[in-house]
Amino acid sequence: MNYGLLARVVRSGFVEGEHRGTAVALDPAGAVVAAVGDVTAPIFPRSSNKPMQAVAMLRAGLRLDGHLLALAASSHSGERYHQDGVARVLGAAGLTVDALRNTPDLPLDDVDRLAWQVAGRAPTAQAQNCSGKHAAMLATCVENDWPLDTYLDPAHPLQTAIAATVADLAGEVVAATGVDGCGAPVLAISTVGLARAFARVSTAPAGTPEARVAAAVRTHPEWLGGTGRDVTAVLRAVPGLVAKDGAEAVYAAALPDGRAVAVKVADGSDRARVQTLVALLRRLGVEEGADGVDGAALDALAHVPVLGHGREVGLVEVAF
């Protein structure tokens, strides 16, 4: 894999380390404006694939909109309203949380996670951050009379439909299929294919599955992420943006006019992930005062301090 230099870790004026990876920015016509590393090589976008998976489920007949559709595309924090939403999606399909096959976990949200641990509660599938997607997958299976127990099998009709949609939106074949952290298939596409897919979702005509997902994400960012989550803050800072974070330091986003970005940090470090995303958006002209952009919020997200003895002695600095 040909990774390029994304960011440097600078402590007291000394370059202490580096983060490498791939990153790309596209103009409204889909032309590459900026690229770092081999952006045509396949990566696992992890949860950044979720908006495309949600599009696939809508194409297959899933009946969700608004905040519950945002939840279907989410890596939620496991807050009470997220878990209640999962139960609502399942209940509307005549199912209970027992039907979920995702990996049990504690909530991502720090407050809820601590309360969960203090209460001595065990991890559950409902609290795990992918349960919104899994609830929507099950609801899609009910709509189509597809088997429920095997919905995570890559050969299941649901998963083949999702793979076809991801390939369609990315404009390339799926290079590999793996098992994601939640147990669902994860599909490999390139960094530039990921950006193209987000552009397709963000610019789709009103009423299409892609446009419905875009509207849900834009309108309900707290359902896509949660309290204190950077993806929620990014969506609030840039009106009209469609964005999704993913494990192992993946991020993708697109604007309503088709400008799009995607990043994969090779070492999986989150400290270079948000900062690289913001730098790419700025390369595309996303700045304070442009269409209601909150530049101060983006500055705060992009500021990654290096600490020494409890005070800031350096920064993680974008290198491109």
Side-chain angles (χ1 to χ4, degrees), residues 78-113:
E79 295 169 75
R80 186 69 263 167
Y81 67 93
H82 295 131
Q83 296 190 49
D84 289 345
V86 169
R88 286 173 58 195
V89 172
L90 291 168
L95 303 172
T96 69
V97 294
D98 293 334
L100 293 169
R101 294 289 182 269
N102 54 302
T103 309
D105 201 355
L106 303 179
L108 282 180
D109 180 77
D110 291 340
V111 173
D112 285 85
R113 189 181 188 93

Side-chain angles (χ1 to χ4, degrees), residues 123-299:
T124 70
Q126 186 178 7
Q128 197 260 348
N129 72 91
C130 297
S131 61
K133 176 182 75 175
H134 283 255
M137 286 181 169
L138 286 162
T140 305
C141 289
V142 170
E143 287 286 347
N144 289 278
D145 238 1
W146 290 335
L148 300 180
D149 290 343
T150 57
Y151 77 94
L152 298 182
D153 188 328
H156 189 282
L158 169 71
Q159 300 302 340
T160 59
I162 287 174
T165 295
V166 170
D168 171 46
L169 294 175
E172 62 186 49
V173 298
V174 171
T177 302
V179 180
D180 213 336
C182 65
V186 58
L187 308 171
I189 54 176
S190 69
T191 307
V192 70
L194 181 61
R196 279 196 303 262
F198 270 69
R200 286 276 304 277
V201 172
S202 189
T203 61
T208 62
E210 294 91 329
R212 289 166 60 190
V213 171
V217 168
R218 289 165 174 152
T219 309
H220 305 283
E222 71 282 2
W223 287 83
L224 192 80
T227 304
R229 293 283 296 283
D230 58 72
V231 68
T232 302
V234 168
L235 288 165
R236 286 176 174 162
V238 185
L241 193 71
V242 174
K244 184 68 188 72
D245 50 343
E248 292 300 315
V250 181
Y251 229 134
L255 293 150
D257 64 1
R259 287 174 291 167
V261 302
V263 57
K264 159 64 182 170
V265 184
D267 63 10
S269 173
D270 282 345
R271 69 179 176 179
R273 176 183 59 100
V274 185
Q275 168 187 73
T276 303
L277 178 86
V278 172
L280 290 169
L281 289 173
R282 286 179 169 149
R283 188 71 63 91
L284 292 175
V286 177
E287 298 287 355
E288 179 75 47
D291 300 318
V293 170
D294 185 344
L298 288 180
D299 286 342

